Amino acid sequence: MDTSYTNVTYDGKDWLYVENGKVRYDYTGIRPNENGWWRIEGGKVNFDFTGVASNENGEFYIENGKVDFSKNGLYVYNGIRYNIVNGWAYRI
């Protein structure tokens, strides 16, 4: 086992967030891999998620579980207004 491995990876059934060689079932947030940035909930990519979520880099517009860096415009999520600029979500 590679205890230094950290990535969003496919296990044959689900896309999972692995950190230091272990699936992080306690993690909810956004993590990248070579295919994009993904909404992780309970260690798994949530492909049903569309909305705004954050990580240590800021807030992002996510569609079908993936940050949409091509998204621009006004967006309301959970009653909060955002200006979306290249996928980045700014509260207004």
Side-chain angles (χ1 to χ4, degrees):
M1 175 188 327
D2 181 356
T3 58
S4 66
Y5 183 80
T6 297
N7 203 351
V8 176
T9 188
Y10 187 64
D11 74 348
K13 180 181 173 194
D14 295 307
W15 285 91
L16 305 170
Y17 173 55
V18 176
E19 184 179 280
N20 298 321
K22 295 180 182 177
V23 176
R24 285 282 312 273
Y25 290 110
D26 63 335
Y27 181 80
T28 295
I30 302 170
R31 284 292 171 247
N33 74 359
E34 59 279 359
N35 298 308
W37 290 28
W38 303 96
R39 172 66 179 175
I40 311 296
E41 294 178 10
K44 296 180 183 180
V45 174
N46 180 355
F47 292 104
D48 294 325
F49 184 88
T50 295
V52 173
S54 64
N55 70 5
E56 63 276 3
N57 297 305
E59 292 185 294
F60 302 90
Y61 173 77
I62 298 170
E63 189 167 322
N64 299 319
K66 185 177 182 182
V67 174
D68 181 354
F69 286 108
S70 69
K71 178 75 171 178
N72 292 290
L74 297 178
Y75 182 72
V76 178
Y77 181 69
N78 287 341
I80 300 171
R81 291 174 36 121
Y82 294 91
N83 184 28
I84 310 297
V85 179
N86 297 323
W88 291 77
Y90 300 97
R91 292 174 188 227
I92 53 174

